Amino acid sequence: ASHTSALERLLLRGGKSGVGAGSASMAGGDRRLADMAVGLQKLAVDVISGKEPMTESLEHVLQAIREDMEGVTKKGNFDHAEDQGEVDRARDAILSCNVDKGKILMYTNLTENAEKEHGTCRTEEGELIMKKKETCSHVAEIAEYTKVPDCPNNLVELQDWIHWAEKLNETLSPPSEECIETDEALVEQVAACNKSQALFESTFCGYHQTVEFTCEVYHECRKLAIADRDDVHAAVKIAEAGRKAEYSTATDIMCLVDVLEAKDAERQGKYQKCADKTTDTSKLDIEYHDAPAALDCDTGPVTVYPCLGQWQYDHYTSKTWYLQAPTTVCTPCVHIEPPTDIPTPSPATSLPTSLPTLLPSLSIAELASRRHDSSDLPTKSPADGGHHLTSMAAALQQLAVNVIKGTERLTDSHLA
């Protein structure tokens, strides 16, 4: 009767099937089952030895215990499936972190096309520059006659002055129609190429921003998902160990219940089998997953970006068209701190940016009004004619350099 009362108290502690439901705590459930197993083991020994009789009340208690343990095992299977689902979900969360390669590829193609179009434009610009040098060669010849001879001191030297002035006047003939058209086409080409350059740089900046942002989002997503997976694994491993312990003890209890419910002649043999048995809990094993391999998200192609010196070398200054048609000032990406190594663009040609000072020069308008004054040199004093021609030479030399460089165009006012 004492054994029966003790078993009834264990069965009623926490309510029927309370252990499998995760009752107050896993540890509390383990202790309850362990106490029940110890009580049943002592009862079995006493019943086999004849010290404790089997009564109807005890049979009812044993039946309730069997139902309780079946609930424990069923709940264990259910919890195992739920925990395995949590582990799988944690793995799938890592896999859900994705790299939008389609968007990156789109920007890659846009950038490559923009660079190709810019390179083609600069090549055509260089060809127009060469054509202008050919069709407007008489303008370049002006510079050959801008070196002013020494002031004449006698009639022979004065004749040299007149010859020089005549040659200079010949070079001032109007440019050909082809020269004018080439000059206008070049101005338009330079503007178009500068626009194409700006488009290429802004497209590359978009490419840079897309790659950097996409990879940053992916790596952050993966980092958080792996941290969550680690937390899930840690919690499930604790639950898994407790669940296996409960399942093992529950099967031991049901084995002892079988002993007590057996016939007298069979109890000893069944009891020995219970003592020798080992419980296989492998069906409650959780399959833990390693973190899936990281996806390839390479920021290498955009490590160097507009307008770093290396970037300008890779995309501009190392190109064959650059010497003839150099780029304009590079526009940095607005989403990046301006680089500190932006190089100064090379000049368009090797012409000097400044000329030696001769004498105070006349304006182009003044030169136009005095275009044929050189024919009057014999009637002027040498000093007066020398000052006029020297000033004209200085202005024409500067005009010639500007026209050759493309910074100034010949207009009707120049030719008048």
Side-chain angles (χ1 to χ4, degrees):
S2 59
H3 286 302
T4 302
S5 298
L7 290 174
E8 287 176 337
R9 287 195 300 271
L10 285 171
L11 181 63
L12 294 174
R13 187 186 301 169
K16 189 174 181 180
S17 300
V19 176
S23 30
S25 70
M26 189 72 73
D30 288 344
R31 287 193 298 271
R32 173 178 176 271
L33 290 179
D35 291 345
M36 185 177 293
V38 170
L40 281 174
Q41 186 178 25
K42 291 180 178 178
L43 176 60
V45 170
D46 289 346
V47 169
I48 292 171
S49 65
K51 293 181 180 179
E52 182 78 24
M54 286 295 296
T55 63
E56 184 177 352
S57 175
L58 180 56
E59 290 176 356
H60 288 309
V61 171
L62 292 175
Q63 181 60 33
I65 290 175
R66 180 184 295 280
E67 292 175 359
D68 195 21
M69 293 307 102
E70 288 175 351
V72 169
T73 57
K74 288 180 180 179
K75 187 62 167 60
N77 292 331
F78 178 82
D79 290 345
H80 166 265
E82 279 201 337
D83 283 353
Q84 184 63 64
E86 284 296 301
V87 170
D88 295 344
R89 180 202 60 77
R91 175 204 56 198
D92 295 342
I94 301 174
L95 290 172
S96 69
C97 297
N98 195 24
V99 176
D100 191 349
K101 292 189 175 182
K103 190 173 184 180
I104 292 177
L105 180 60
M106 180 189 72
Y107 266 97
T108 301
N109 293 335
L110 286 174
T111 303
E112 290 176 351
N113 291 337
E115 181 175 21
K116 183 178 179 181
E117 291 176 4
H118 175 246
T120 300
C121 188
R122 292 299 183 189
T123 299
E124 294 172 354
E125 178 185 337
E127 292 171 352
L128 282 174
I129 290 174
M130 295 300 296
K131 184 178 180 180
K132 179 179 177 180
K133 288 180 180 179
E134 295 173 0
T135 58
C136 304
S137 59
H138 75 286
V139 179
E141 292 173 359
I142 295 175
E144 297 181 11
Y145 300 101
T146 54
K147 183 177 181 181
V148 183
D150 295 334
C151 291
N153 296 313
N154 51 55
L155 185 58
V156 174
E157 292 179 356
L158 184 58
Q159 291 296 325
D160 292 338
W161 264 93
I162 295 173
H163 177 72
W164 171 80
E166 290 173 345
K167 287 292 184 181
L168 178 61
N169 197 51
E170 290 175 3
T171 63
L172 297 178
S173 59
S176 66
E177 189 69 24
E178 185 179 13
C179 172
I180 295 175
E181 291 177 355
T182 303
D183 180 59
E184 292 175 348
L186 178 58
V187 171
E188 293 177 358
Q189 186 72 18
V190 171
C193 291
N194 289 345
K195 184 177 180 180
S196 179
Q197 175 186 334
L199 177 62
F200 168 50
E201 290 163 359
S202 65
T203 303
F204 198 103
C205 289
Y207 175 39
H208 175 278
Q209 189 173 29
T210 298
V211 172
E212 289 283 347
F213 179 75
T214 299
C215 291
E216 180 182 353
V217 169
Y218 168 70
H219 290 306
E220 183 64 18
C221 176
R222 178 178 170 82
K223 175 184 174 183
L224 295 176
I226 288 177
D228 178 66
R229 181 210 65 153
D230 293 343
D231 291 342
V232 169
H233 282 196
V236 169
K237 284 179 180 179
I238 294 174
E240 179 188 18
R243 187 159 48 246
K244 287 183 176 182
E246 283 191 347
Y247 179 82
S248 180
T249 304
T251 58
D252 289 344
I253 290 173
M254 286 191 289
C255 187
L256 291 171
V257 170
D258 289 340
V259 170
L260 292 169
E261 291 180 341
K263 296 179 180 180
D264 293 343
E266 297 175 352
R267 286 191 181 118
Q268 183 62 49
K270 286 182 175 289
Y271 179 82
Q272 190 59 46
K273 287 182 180 181
C274 290
D276 296 338
K277 85 174 185 68
T278 56
T279 304
D280 181 11
T281 61
S282 59
K283 68 176 184 177
L284 298 178
D285 288 346
I286 295 292
E287 181 184 358
Y288 297 95
H289 312 294
D290 293 332
L295 299 177
D296 180 27
C297 198
D298 184 17
T299 59
V302 296
T303 301
V304 180
Y305 50 83
C307 299
L308 296 177
Q310 182 63 47
W311 187 89
Q312 295 203 62
Y313 174 80
D314 293 339
H315 300 281
Y316 294 158
T317 59
S318 63
K319 304 300 181 181
T320 55
W321 48 258
Y322 185 81
L323 291 178
Q324 283 291 339
T327 53
T328 187
V329 177
C330 181
T331 303
C333 302
V334 295
H335 67 283
I336 305 176
E337 288 293 328
T340 58
D341 67 335
I342 300 179
T344 302
S346 302
T349 69
S350 59
L351 292 173
T353 56
S354 61
L355 298 170
T357 302
L358 299 175
L359 288 173
S361 61
L362 298 172
S363 67
I364 297 300
E366 291 173 316
L367 286 173
S369 67
R370 304 186 187 186
R371 178 177 175 186
H372 298 292
D373 283 354
S374 59
S375 62
D376 299 330
L377 281 176
T379 64
K380 295 177 181 282
S381 68
D384 186 25
H387 176 76
H388 165 65
L389 292 175
T390 301
S391 299
M392 181 185 291
L396 287 173
Q397 185 180 25
Q398 184 63 58
L399 174 61
V401 170
N402 291 344
V403 170
I404 294 171
K405 289 174 63 180
T407 58
E408 188 169 355
R409 294 174 52 189
L410 287 175
T411 63
D412 293 340
S413 63
H414 292 146
L415 302 177

